[in-house]
Amino acid sequence: ETTLGAAAAQSGRYFGTAIASGRLGDSAYTSIASREFNSVTAENEMKIDATEPQRGQFNFTAADRVYNWAVQNGKQVRGHTLAWHSQQPGWMQGLSGSNLRQAMIGHINGVMAHYKGKIRQWDVVNEAFEDGSSGARRDSNLQRTGNDWIEVAFRTARAADPAAKLCYNDYNVEDWNWAKTQAMYRMVRDFKQRGVPIDCVGFQSHFNNGSPYNSNFRTTLQSFAALGVDVAITELDIQGASPTTYAAVTNDCLAVPRCLGITVWGVRDSDSWRREHTPLLFNDNGSKKPAYTAVLNALNGG
Ligand code: G3I
């Protein structure tokens, strides 16, 4: 196959990208995105600040722009993200306790109702663990509502849209030896044991010189899959875009039957949140980089 999406589809997987609504008027951007990818994640438009700028007043203008572009171009959509400490609107930042807990539930219900039956996977909770060696939950206003906030979010999400796969998504959880990875593993194991509705784990995979790719990523994916959840690579970018590393990540997903697919976090380097790292598959001119060819070859089986 000659595109990433078609090549991934040979094994029943998808190959996606983050899409920014503000770039949909750029035909160089949309021509690459529509040609190469078959899954879309809104880079910012489905986040809490964008979708519920005032409490109880939902705004899906930008989110729908991305969603409609995706569907009109035949792509599936990953939802990102419903409960997160970051990119909260001002009104939510100031809440605490049961008031915040109710606001979180109301937000999940409001957004999932709008997209009911339309989103393949939702990142229900994003980035709830602390970096470093503690293995603790990250301190946040949501965490301070009680340690059960994550399972409440998942139970709410399951009721709101039973057709969506419900994912927990985080970064620096790719290396099996990291404390954060192990903490996330214990949470997912506990959720599966207690029947908390979780279907998938998203590994953001923002690899850089400080948090580099390690070949034990495959062990991580396999270990989570063995708990009975799907896994997905949800925000892939690699500082310097080493073709070898991109191929290794691709092969790690291909090696794990429950790895649903790969999403890269942007189209061209110039579209990246860390463009100075030139971490993506297309350069600023929209040309395919060596990493592109490495990924495509891996998806094509060699
Ligand atoms: O929309 C405003 C615009 O009106 C304003 O003029 C401009 C001035 O700086 O800012 C714009 O908002 C920015 C927004 O991206 C849209 O470009 C925010 O400042 C900026 O903080 C925001 O950054 C996003 C970041 O999440 C925020 O947390 C990045 O685009 C986005 O790629 C990044 O994505 C996250 C994932 O959601 C979760 N995992 C990590 C990943 C990378 O940080």
Side-chain angles (χ1 to χ4, degrees), residues 18 20 23 41-45 47 49 80-81 84 86-87 123 126-127 169-171 204 206 234-235 237 265 271-275:
R23 290 191 156 80
T41 306
E43 187 172 2
N44 289 295
E45 293 78 356
K47 292 173 179 176
D49 56 355
H80 174 79
T81 177
W84 190 22
S86 182
Q87 284 179 280
D123 289 333
N126 196 40
E127 302 176 359
N169 192 54
D170 214 328
Y171 66 92
Q204 293 184 11
H206 293 294
T234 53
E235 304 181 13
D237 50 22
W265 205 239
D271 303 314
S272 171
W273 68 299
R274 37 177 223 182
R275 54 184 65 81

Side-chain angles (χ1 to χ4, degrees), residues 6-290:
Q10 295 172 112
S11 66
R13 295 179 174 84
Y14 60 82
F15 204 98
T17 184
I19 289 286
S21 59
R23 290 191 156 80
L24 289 174
D26 173 348
S27 61
Y29 175 85
T30 52
S31 70
I32 300 170
S34 61
R35 180 186 76 222
E36 294 289 341
F37 302 100
N38 54 8
S39 176
V40 160
T41 306
E43 187 172 2
N44 289 295
E45 293 78 356
M46 292 191 189
K47 292 173 179 176
I48 316 174
D49 56 355
T51 52
E52 197 178 357
Q54 303 299 328
R55 188 168 186 175
Q57 293 177 22
F58 291 87
N59 183 336
F60 296 106
T61 308
D64 283 347
R65 211 174 285 146
V66 175
Y67 177 85
N68 290 332
W69 182 88
V71 170
Q72 282 157 13
N73 287 278
K75 286 119 184 45
Q76 57 175 281
V77 180
R78 290 194 86 256
H80 174 79
T81 177
L82 298 166
W84 190 22
H85 68 276
S86 182
Q87 284 179 280
Q88 292 183 1
W91 65 265
M92 185 180 274
Q93 290 175 29
L95 296 185
S96 62
S98 59
N99 197 9
L100 175 59
R101 181 64 67 89
Q102 284 313 309
M104 177 189 82
I105 292 169
H107 181 76
I108 293 170
N109 282 328
V111 177
M112 291 189 84
H114 182 76
Y115 290 112
K116 190 170 182 180
K118 297 175 168 177
I119 301 274
R120 205 68 76 87
Q121 304 171 34
W122 262 115
D123 289 333
V124 177
V125 173
N126 196 40
E127 302 176 359
F129 287 94
E130 196 163 278
D131 287 303
S133 59
S134 74
R137 294 282 185 85
R138 175 196 298 274
D139 180 51
S140 71
N141 60 347
L142 289 164
Q143 180 62 29
R144 289 191 292 272
T145 67
N147 208 49
D148 63 344
W149 72 277
I150 298 180
E151 60 190 87
V152 169
F154 276 91
R155 291 188 200 282
T156 304
R158 176 68 91 228
D161 185 355
K165 280 187 195 280
L166 307 181
C167 305
Y168 176 82
N169 192 54
D170 214 328
Y171 66 92
N172 285 356
V173 289
E174 296 79 19
D175 188 320
W176 182 241
N177 293 321
W178 284 336
K180 192 172 173 182
T181 309
Q182 293 298 317
M184 182 173 80
Y185 180 82
R186 288 191 296 272
M187 180 188 76
V188 174
R189 187 177 57 189
D190 171 59
F191 281 10
K192 293 301 290 182
Q193 283 169 352
R194 290 192 295 113
V196 177
I198 184 170
D199 305 307
C200 38
V201 175
F203 297 82
Q204 293 184 11
S205 307
H206 293 294
F207 296 115
N208 57 62
N209 298 342
S211 315
Y213 168 80
N214 185 299
S215 58
N216 68 25
F217 187 27
R218 190 176 298 192
T219 300
T220 304
L221 294 173
Q222 286 166 337
S223 301
F224 277 86
L227 292 176
V229 289
D230 293 331
V231 294
I233 295 170
T234 53
E235 304 181 13
L236 178 62
D237 50 22
I238 302 173
Q239 180 170 5
S242 151
T244 316
T245 309
Y246 259 108
V249 174
T250 304
N251 282 320
D252 289 341
C253 180
L254 293 174
V256 178
R258 292 197 80 148
C259 183
L260 300 170
I262 299 173
T263 299
V264 288
W265 205 239
V267 177
R268 302 160 300 192
D269 286 332
S270 50
D271 303 314
S272 171
W273 68 299
R274 37 177 223 182
R275 54 184 65 81
E276 70 279 7
H277 289 172
T278 59
L280 293 174
L281 301 179
F282 294 87
N283 70 20
D284 296 0
N285 301 326
S287 301
K288 296 168 179 173
K289 294 166 61 180

